Amino acid sequence: NAVNDIGHPTIRATLERLDFNQGLEMHHDADLPARSGIGSSSAFTVGFLNAMMALKGVSSSKEFLAKQAIDIEQNVIQESIGSQDQIAAAYGGLNHITFRIDNSFEVSPVAVSKERIQELQSHLMLVFTGLSRTASEIAKTQIDEIKKHSTELVAMRQMVEYSMEILSSQNSIIEFGKLLHESWVLKRRITSKISNPVIDDIYESACRAGAIGGKLLGAGGGGFLLLFVRPEDQPSIQRELQYLIQVPVKFESTGSQIIVSSES
């Protein structure tokens, strides 16, 4: 009967933000599980916000959707999460995102050929560890440990520039996979909650079967593991990890969209 009655924090906060008091029926479908490190919560916030703005007759920019979603999740709901997932969901594509101290950001598409993107895509495998977790809980431990691990964070920041150089050059794409491995090793040092024996065993098994690198997506603690594997070695990985759900990977370039809109 009232927005305050709604239990789902994102829906409640978004409707309150938009001062939306009409009758509303909502149906939500997801192909992948929640709490799995692929930004599903932020994708939901961006998509729901986009749909509600369209229902009000307003076409939203990607920047508006990202900023509003970040504000709702971080300041209204007060989740201990970052800002990258909301931007990725709103903008789509392969981007270099610069985050500034004043909380502003800049999104620049990475200038690489379609062939290079396809080459990168063909080397990626996505595996569900079977473990779910709440990202904000893991992220909070990382925030608490940040000052103690500035060396790792600076090194990971430098890897961003190097990864862009690899993608935009004619160098072997395998170097990108090696970089993923290095970043995973560094990330694991930040807090013990990022990984666990189950995840380590999956990753090590994949590497023995031919994976060049990879990393756990999201805050850590569970969810999806992204592996970098030569196409000819992927059948070996599939056999080695046959007890886990494996999901095909394909890049998306458009971000959040209104697919169908009709006036009553």
Side-chain angles (χ1 to χ4, degrees):
N1 293 323
V3 172
N4 286 337
D5 296 336
I6 297 173
H8 195 293
T10 298
I11 296 175
R12 184 178 64 250
T14 302
L15 294 180
E16 287 176 345
R17 167 64 55 85
L18 300 180
D19 193 25
F20 194 94
N21 293 302
Q22 302 175 34
L24 177 68
E25 179 177 340
M26 189 192 102
H27 184 83
H28 169 243
D29 285 306
D31 294 319
L32 299 172
R35 302 187 184 92
S36 57
I38 53 171
S40 57
S41 296
S42 295
F44 176 88
T45 303
V46 169
F48 183 63
L49 178 65
N50 198 9
M52 291 303 97
M53 292 298 293
L55 196 57
K56 291 170 71 74
V58 178
S59 177
S60 302
S61 69
K62 297 181 183 299
E63 182 180 12
F64 172 86
L65 292 174
K67 286 183 175 179
Q68 288 295 313
I70 291 169
D71 187 48
I72 287 171
E73 293 189 334
Q74 294 182 357
N75 301 321
V76 180
I77 304 176
Q78 297 189 331
E79 296 272 7
S80 296
I81 58 173
S83 304
Q84 67 283 345
D85 291 345
Q86 303 89 337
I87 296 171
Y91 282 80
L94 185 62
N95 300 307
H96 176 266
I97 306 171
T98 302
F99 296 96
R100 302 190 181 93
I101 295 176
D102 63 0
N103 292 325
S104 64
F105 59 83
E106 180 181 350
V107 181
S108 304
V110 178
V112 294
S113 67
K114 184 180 296 185
E115 291 74 22
R116 189 65 159 174
I117 290 290
Q118 290 174 343
E119 183 182 19
L120 174 61
Q121 184 173 286
S122 70
H123 282 73
L124 300 180
M125 297 182 69
L126 193 60
V127 178
F128 185 47
T129 63
L131 304 175
S132 296
R133 78 292 177 275
T134 302
S136 59
E137 295 175 0
I138 305 293
K140 189 177 186 307
T141 64
Q142 293 185 40
I143 293 170
D144 294 339
E145 295 291 324
I146 278 179
K147 291 182 180 179
K148 303 176 186 177
H149 296 278
S150 58
T151 301
E152 287 87 350
L153 292 169
V154 169
M156 291 167 70
R157 168 65 182 85
Q158 292 172 339
M159 287 180 176
V160 174
E161 304 302 329
Y162 184 37
S163 66
M164 292 177 61
E165 288 179 14
I166 293 171
L167 291 178
S168 59
S169 71
Q170 298 298 316
N171 294 342
S172 171
I173 197 73
I174 300 303
E175 295 303 313
F176 192 90
K178 294 178 180 177
L179 201 63
L180 274 179
H181 174 73
E182 291 178 28
S183 71
W184 172 236
V185 171
L186 287 171
K187 186 174 181 178
R188 288 181 77 258
R189 295 179 189 171
I190 297 175
T191 169
S192 60
K193 291 189 176 181
I194 285 179
S195 190
N196 56 52
V198 174
I199 294 169
D200 289 342
D201 183 61
I202 295 171
Y203 186 79
E204 289 166 9
S205 296
C207 289
R208 286 195 299 269
I212 295 165
K215 68 187 295 289
L216 200 64
L217 300 185
F224 278 91
L225 189 67
L226 181 71
L227 298 171
F228 191 96
V229 189
R230 292 183 179 89
E232 61 268 27
D233 292 330
Q234 292 181 13
S236 297
I237 304 290
Q238 291 168 351
R239 288 192 297 271
E240 183 69 24
L241 303 180
Q242 59 183 314
Y243 60 98
L244 297 174
I245 295 173
Q246 300 174 34
V247 180
V249 177
K250 186 176 181 180
F251 286 106
E252 192 278 335
S253 60
T254 57
S256 182
Q257 300 179 75
I258 301 298
I259 304 299
V260 177
S261 178
S262 59
E263 297 181 359
S264 58

